[in-house]
Amino acid sequence: MNETANVVRALPEPEEDLTPEELAAKWEAEAPPSAGPIANLASSAVATVLGAAGIVLSLQLGLGSPAQPQPGMWPFIMGVVIVALGLSQMFIGRHGGEGEKFSRLSWLVLLGVATLVGLVALMPVIGFEIPSLLLCIVWMKYLGGETWRSALLYSALVVAAFYAIFILALGTTIPHLF
């Protein structure tokens, strides 16, 4: 009987039974270490530089007008938004909360970016179906932690839905195999 009582006391308390203050304290205790102001400044600078590069590249594509937009219009708008957010984070936001310190899991972002680059590189060559399927599988399995069965099933459903929407329904000019 005493052994059972010790096991019951060792079990973690369900989160529904915690007060908001206790829950906030628990989450703060489990949070990763903060990155610090230098890391926040550096990440803001990187975002600002990437946004500025997007602006320069979009200007080369041509902006057009709101009534007759050219290919650079939306990348230009997004570049301006990214620069504005990066600068505001650099000067205003760093006085707020601390960002997370990079950890082993932070490198998964590079996997996501690499798969997107692969998608962009392969799409003109073999269409969007196979690269999109591979991208979805990698993201669901390795970034999302899904089982193989659900990653394969959901990836096939996502690609089929995109095909139905963009190729069959909208008739876009996305490169495709079928």
Side-chain angles (χ1 to χ4, degrees):
M1 178 93 160
N2 192 12
E3 189 176 313
T4 306
N6 288 339
V7 170
V8 170
R9 271 189 245 131
L11 292 175
E13 194 173 340
E15 289 188 0
E16 322 59 71
D17 296 340
L18 298 176
T19 65
E21 294 80 19
E22 292 170 334
L23 189 57
K26 178 182 175 188
W27 287 344
E28 187 159 335
E30 294 172 354
S34 65
I38 300 297
N40 289 340
L41 182 66
S43 63
S44 300
V46 168
T48 303
V49 167
L50 288 173
I55 289 172
V56 169
L57 292 172
S58 68
L59 289 172
Q60 293 174 358
L61 292 172
L63 299 181
S65 67
Q68 295 287 344
Q70 290 184 354
M73 176 69 78
W74 283 108
F76 176 80
I77 292 170
M78 293 310 301
V80 169
V81 169
I82 291 170
V83 167
L85 290 174
L87 289 174
S88 67
Q89 178 65 26
M90 197 178 296
F91 295 110
I92 299 168
R94 61 188 171 120
H95 301 295
E98 296 284 323
E100 291 181 9
K101 192 174 210 171
F102 278 92
S103 67
R104 185 180 67 79
L105 294 175
S106 302
W107 292 104
L108 291 176
V109 173
L110 291 178
L111 176 63
V113 170
T115 55
L116 281 175
V117 169
L119 174 81
V120 170
L122 289 174
M123 194 181 298
V125 178
I126 59 173
F128 88 93
E129 296 94 344
I130 294 171
S132 297
L133 182 66
L134 294 174
L135 175 99
C136 287
I137 290 170
V138 168
W139 281 22
M140 288 187 189
K141 176 62 184 158
Y142 297 106
L143 302 181
E146 296 287 340
T147 63
W148 276 108
R149 185 172 73 182
S150 63
L152 293 171
L153 175 67
Y154 297 146
S155 297
L157 290 174
V158 165
V159 173
F162 282 167
Y163 188 88
I165 292 168
F166 292 106
I167 303 300
L168 299 176
L170 296 175
T172 61
T173 58
I174 296 173
H176 56 91
L177 290 176
F178 308 106

